[in-house]
């Protein structure tokens, strides 16, 4: 059972800089009736991911821009409340990777959703560490593109964030020395003391990030995991070891820029160091999602993988919360709880 | 036997823009006496390569900058005229990859040189197609980094140049469809009619290079071989197919720039297309040089690999000739003949 009307966060205009309530409005909309093969999902948790900021622009990316007047595309965790598919039943918990939206009810083809077995872990773990941006992104980014191995030096950007904190721990689990970059002493302490990183740099407390990286990575960086782009990427490029691999997972420092953003000024270092840059696209590994999730569960179960969640309550607080991603206000994976399960 | 004095092209100041005779002076210098293990080489041919422009800058690259007052570092082909090594004898022909200089006599450790067997091919082939920048660079760049395979679409920048013309033909030999970019109709005709490229774009004759590439590569580019950087790279990035590979071999459009050059404005496409960028460093494959040269010889022998050489005469014309690399004046690999063999 579902209502005919719902609350949605609708894109009214393309943001310049940080999204505001003028750009994204909480409005009343229809719940779309299911077609054959669809289910209606009551969303319980919304995922807040940097990539969404890119989808708000009118730009060529791996998914089309969100159209003006549409709800903000999102990964959500929810419960099936009506089903026109044999694959899912009312009451099932499901996650949809970028298939749903910031709204109370999403109507989605069942084949695009994954059923969640919530018997072992708290429900929201399935939206944070066990799936989506916080789980699968660092898993595939580090293991398929970074190729961690004992003795390698890893530099992790946005190391206290959802992706960086997990990618760094996965590198540690594979024998690497891992140095994290974060924007506060307290975050640096968190990644070293609680997550087991070897060292950390508070980029806001250093004058010369290139020199600070050189000091912490005296033999150069073998794997640079890039979540941020911009000046941090440029500083990392000047410290690459021969044959280094750059995992290009995101560029959060540039998402709110006004106008075209140039690539790194030190792009030449990719040639000078015989290095490589690998753009991350999880969809390539869709066949391996179940195995990846099993591995993540095993690491969470054993306590080898630690993580932080930042849970905001109420759909009306979503845009406010979203801005925290870019101002550094959150610690750990940011999600919004908008309803309880039936 | 060798003289005590010689003519050398000496770096007097770091060029801004195209190198001039004020930057690089033809001067008299000493021939360096050989130490144990060294040979003295009478240089017969000098190689003129875009990478040398980068070494003239005071910048971090894969080799240190050329010091002010030193002769311009170069790959040369020459003949041993004095030997303090058991490995090489007077009369032997040798090639040194970036070990010698634009000068009449180079004194170099024998272990850094390769002996040339000139029994089958004209001597200068060993400096052009069978070695160094024109032979090994496209060979390793295409085969180790581009990974050509039947059905793939290759876009080749600077397609009529020394590297591009060979890299494109190697892709053709591996079943690819190859589209070349060049700066004159006559060059486009050359690569299609004589080298067997499938199609060509005269970038000077199109208003919108991005659209021109889209028209010639309607299913996207699988392999972009980048010799030029700049606007051509940006146009190529907007046309990448999912999972595309960019071979980053050079960036000739930027070498004469005044001040820092940003990376590509469309760098984001590397992520959006799950693509990768691979900086080329031939030294990684040093163990495979002999096998590569044998393969190149076989292709030249069978006529499967065609190539053009542009041979200028006289050491005094070297700097003039060098500027042609950047103005598009040469067709094929540019070398300067400065002496005849003994």
């Amino acid at each position: 059972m579902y209502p005919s009307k719902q609350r949605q966060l609708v894109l009214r205009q393309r943001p310049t800089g940080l999204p505001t309530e003028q750009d994204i409005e909480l409005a009343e909309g229809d719940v779309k009736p299911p077609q054959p093969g669809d289910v209606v999902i009551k969303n319980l948790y919304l995922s807040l991911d940097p990539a969404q900021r890119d989808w708000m622009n009118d730009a060529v990316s791996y998914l089309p821009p969100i159209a003006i007047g549409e709800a903000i595309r999102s990964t959500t965790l929810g419960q099936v409340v009506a089903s026109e598919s044999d694959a899912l039943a009312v009451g099932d918990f499901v996650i949809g990777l970028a298939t749903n939206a910031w709204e109370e009810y999403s109507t989605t083809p069942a084949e695009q959703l994954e059923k969640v077995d919530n018997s072992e872990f708290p429900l929201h773990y399935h939206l944070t560490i066990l799936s989506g941006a916080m789980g699968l992104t660092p898993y595939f980014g580090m293991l398929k593109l970074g190729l961690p191995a004992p003795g390698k030096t890893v530099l992790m950007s946005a190391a206290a964030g959802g992706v960086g904190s997990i990618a760094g721990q996965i590198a540690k689990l594979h024998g690497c020395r891992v140095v994290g970059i974060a924007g506060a002493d307290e975050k640096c302490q968190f990644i070293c003391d609680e997550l087991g990183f070897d060292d950390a740099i508070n980029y806001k407390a250093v004058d010369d990030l290139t020199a600070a990286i050189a000091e912490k990575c005296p033999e150069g960086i073998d794997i640079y995991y890039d979540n941020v782009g911009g000046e941090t990427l440029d500083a990392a490029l000047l410290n690459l070891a021969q044959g280094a691999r750059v995992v290009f997972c995101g560029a959060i420092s540039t998402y709110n820029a006004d106008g075209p953003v140039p690539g790194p000024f030190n792009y030449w270092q990719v040639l000078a160091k015989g290095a490589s840059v690998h753009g991350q696209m999880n969809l390539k590994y869709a066949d391996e999602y179940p195995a990846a999730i099993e591995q993540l569960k095993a690491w969470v179960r054993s306590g080898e993988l630690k993580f932080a969640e930042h849970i905001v309550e109420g759909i009306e607080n979503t845009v406010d919360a979203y801005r925290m991603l870019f101002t550094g206000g959150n610690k750990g994976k940011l999600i919004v709880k908008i309803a309880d399960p039936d």
Side-chain angles (χ1 to χ4, degrees), chain A:
Chain A
M1 293 301 294
Y2 56 92
S4 62
K5 297 284 179 188
Q6 65 164 331
R7 289 184 297 169
Q8 300 177 302
L9 285 151
V10 173
L11 187 66
R12 290 296 180 211
Q13 59 186 19
R14 303 207 176 277
T16 54
L18 284 177
T20 66
E21 276 77 4
Q22 280 69 55
D23 304 322
I24 301 171
E25 189 194 7
L26 186 64
E28 192 180 80
D30 294 332
V31 176
K32 211 176 120 198
Q35 302 297 307
D38 286 353
V39 296
V40 180
I41 305 155
K42 177 181 162 190
N43 289 317
L44 306 177
Y45 293 96
L46 311 178
S47 187
L48 274 55
D49 298 307
Q52 291 165 302
R53 179 63 188 84
D54 190 52
W55 306 335
M56 295 173 199
N57 293 333
D58 189 17
V60 180
S61 189
Y62 58 98
L63 288 175
I66 299 167
I68 301 294
E70 278 188 6
I72 301 297
R73 183 190 299 133
S74 181
T75 297
T76 72
L77 180 78
Q79 192 169 23
V80 174
V81 290
S83 177
E84 298 291 331
S85 160
D86 294 339
L88 291 171
V90 170
D92 284 348
F93 293 106
V94 291
I95 185 166
L97 294 177
T99 59
N100 301 333
W102 287 349
E103 58 191 359
E104 291 177 311
Y105 294 88
S106 294
T107 305
T108 308
E111 60 175 22
Q112 295 180 14
L113 301 167
E114 286 179 67
K115 191 171 162 177
V116 164
D117 168 8
N118 70 321
S119 59
E120 183 178 0
F121 298 104
L123 197 52
H124 50 82
Y125 280 28
H126 296 276
L127 187 63
T128 57
I129 182 64
L130 298 179
S131 193
M134 187 181 188
L136 295 177
T137 296
Y139 182 90
F140 289 116
M142 186 51 75
L143 295 180
K144 294 285 185 182
L145 304 178
L147 309 184
K152 289 195 188 255
T153 296
V154 175
L155 182 70
M156 183 60 54
S157 63
V163 171
S165 62
I166 302 301
Q169 290 178 82
I170 291 174
K172 284 299 300 175
L173 285 165
H174 287 77
C176 297
R177 181 171 170 270
V178 182
V179 176
I181 301 176
D185 285 342
E186 183 254 338
K187 289 183 179 182
C188 289
Q189 223 169 329
F190 166 70
I191 61 175
C192 291
D193 296 352
E194 294 183 46
L195 305 185
F197 281 48
D198 296 283
D199 214 331
I201 299 167
N202 176 354
Y203 73 91
K204 289 184 181 166
V206 298
D207 287 333
D208 181 343
L209 184 57
T210 303
I213 295 170
E215 195 189 317
K216 301 286 190 185
C217 306
E219 292 174 38
I221 303 161
D222 298 306
I223 302 169
Y224 174 59
Y225 197 104
D226 187 19
N227 294 302
V228 303
E231 291 173 15
T232 310
L233 171 57
D234 267 323
L237 288 173
L238 283 179
N239 283 289
L240 295 184
Q242 278 293 333
R245 299 175 69 88
V246 176
V247 182
F248 181 9
C249 177
I252 198 170
S253 72
T254 68
Y255 293 168
N256 291 300
D258 205 5
V261 178
F265 282 85
N266 298 323
Y267 178 70
W268 176 256
Q269 292 300 310
V270 176
L271 190 154
K273 297 292 172 59
S276 52
V277 178
H278 302 265
Q280 181 167 3
M281 182 58 53
N282 287 343
L283 292 171
K284 261 186 213 172
Y285 316 113
D287 290 351
E288 300 178 52
Y289 286 179
I293 290 168
E294 283 314 305
Q295 176 63 75
L296 290 164
K297 282 182 181 173
W299 282 331
V300 170
R301 202 177 284 131
S302 67
E304 288 172 288
L305 206 56
K306 297 184 184 68
F307 59 101
E309 295 172 326
H310 190 126
I311 305 181
V312 170
E313 300 251 348
I315 192 170
E316 65 279 8
N317 297 316
T318 304
V319 178
D320 248 1
Y322 191 66
R323 283 190 291 263
M324 285 202 289
L325 278 183
F326 302 94
T327 57
N330 63 309
K331 196 180 82 181
K333 170 65 187 150
L334 187 61
I335 61 176
V336 178
K337 183 179 177 187
I338 66 169
D340 284 308
D342 282 344

